[in-house]
Each structure stands twice: as structure tokens, then as C-alpha cells.
Amino acid sequence: MAPAKVNQEVIIAFTSKEWDGRAAKQVPNMFVGFIVIGYVLGLILMIFIAPLRSFNALSLFAVVTSVLFTALAISGERSRQQKFLSGVAATINTTILELTGNPQDQLPLAKVEDLVTHGQRIPLLVNGVSGLQLTALRETPPQPPQFIKKDQRIVSTAPDAVVTTRVVITITPPEYGITSFDKLLAAAHTAT
């Protein structure tokens, strides 16, 4: 008996620039940048607001401004990433519903986040027959390291690699009744 043919179909693909699950990855840089902006803004406001004319008040103003702006920036990035992940979850759940016909097989947002973050394998049934598996594959293209000369020594600086995540459905027909599984899968796929 010939081994079963395994097919993989990509449901959705995205890069780490679109979603990486880390909304607060640049917090220190943002905080320092916003402190500088806070000092500049404080120096300008110092002309009109007399209490800002002391160094302590100006420093307090810069730190408070930096904290507020950093919190707003992180909140906005988190909101953007959650919206993108919700769209990914909707696409995955639509495909699951088309293939299995069972609304209970759809994944909540937390499960989709675990799937794309950790690359779990989720088995699915088509009318009680196993053979579908949902998987997230992450791949980083190889990038040559960049070297810079610093104080008579060579330091390697590798740029942030863009990771591509593909959510795929793996179709493995069971060893028994391969033709009936193909017909069942085709019927489930065309029924919607």
C-alpha cells in the first residue's frame, strides 16, 4: 500500500513587521526620546509658565510627559497588533468552519496567539474523520552578519531579521478510505 499523500495549504501569511506580539519592544528608546521632547517642550513653555523656570520643575515635567507619551505609544501599538491578530483569527476561523463544518472547532483569540507564537499543532476533524492539522510555521531568512570596527576590535551587528509566519493546514488522508476522505474534504470545502 502506498503511503498517504500529505498536502499543505497556506491559510494566511504575515511578517513580524505586521505582528510580532511584542508591543513594548522599544520602550527604553521611546522613553529617552520623549524625555528629550519633554525638555524641549518645557523650555518653550517656560516662557509662559513661571513655575517651570526651575530645573526640578522642568525635569519633573519632562519625566511626566515622557511617561504619558510612552504609555500612549505602547497602547496604540498594542491596539494595532490586537486588531491585526483579530483579522488573522477571523481568517483562520473562517477556513476551519469551511473545512470542518463545526463552529465549535473555531479558535479563540488567545489560542490563535499561542498558535502563531509557539507553533502548536491543532488537530481537526472533518465529520469525525481525522486528517487535518492546523500549524503555524515561522521562518527567518538567513541574513549575513554586518561587521563594524570599534576600538580596534571587530563587532558583529546583526540587524533585526524579519520573521515570516505562515499558518498552514496539513491534510493527511487516513490510510483507510482515502477516496472517501478526499470526497468528504471536497464536500466540506464546497459546501460553504
Side-chain angles (χ1 to χ4, degrees):
M1 179 176 228
K5 183 180 176 186
V6 177
N7 293 329
Q8 279 189 345
E9 293 186 27
V10 177
I11 296 173
I12 191 167
F14 56 92
T15 65
S16 58
K17 290 186 177 183
E18 296 170 305
W19 185 87
D20 64 358
R22 299 179 299 157
K25 63 183 174 186
Q26 296 292 331
V27 171
N29 295 340
M30 279 193 296
F31 186 75
V32 170
F34 285 134
I35 279 184
V36 171
I37 291 172
Y39 272 113
V40 170
L41 185 61
L43 289 172
I44 293 170
L45 291 176
M46 192 184 285
I47 298 169
F48 306 107
I49 302 172
L52 282 178
R53 292 184 183 149
S54 79
F55 180 74
N56 292 337
L58 181 63
S59 295
L60 180 65
F61 176 79
V63 169
V64 169
T65 303
S66 178
V67 167
L68 289 175
F69 286 164
T70 303
L72 286 174
I74 291 170
S75 174
E77 179 64 17
R78 183 174 292 130
S79 174
R80 184 195 68 78
Q81 287 197 14
Q82 282 297 105
K83 185 177 178 181
F84 182 81
L85 190 63
S86 295
V88 169
T91 302
I92 291 171
N93 284 331
T94 300
T95 304
I96 289 173
L97 186 61
E98 287 175 357
L99 291 174
T100 65
N102 187 0
Q104 294 176 350
D105 287 340
Q106 293 182 329
L107 306 175
L109 190 60
K111 187 77 171 175
V112 171
E113 186 172 357
D114 284 345
L115 173 74
V116 298
T117 304
H118 304 298
Q120 299 174 342
R121 295 181 180 269
I122 300 173
L124 299 171
L125 301 176
V126 178
N127 292 337
V129 178
S130 63
L132 291 181
Q133 197 170 43
L134 189 66
T135 310
L137 306 172
R138 299 181 75 151
E139 60 185 51
T140 306
Q143 294 187 354
Q146 298 176 353
F147 298 101
I148 60 171
K149 198 171 191 178
K150 186 175 184 180
D151 299 333
Q152 302 301 329
R153 56 192 163 126
I154 297 177
V155 179
S156 173
T157 60
D160 289 339
V162 176
V163 177
T164 302
T165 303
R166 288 181 176 79
V167 179
V168 297
I169 194 97
T170 306
I171 305 164
T172 309
E175 293 182 11
Y176 54 90
I178 292 173
T179 56
S180 64
F181 181 80
D182 290 342
K183 289 178 185 176
L184 184 65
L185 186 63
H189 192 60
T190 58
T192 57

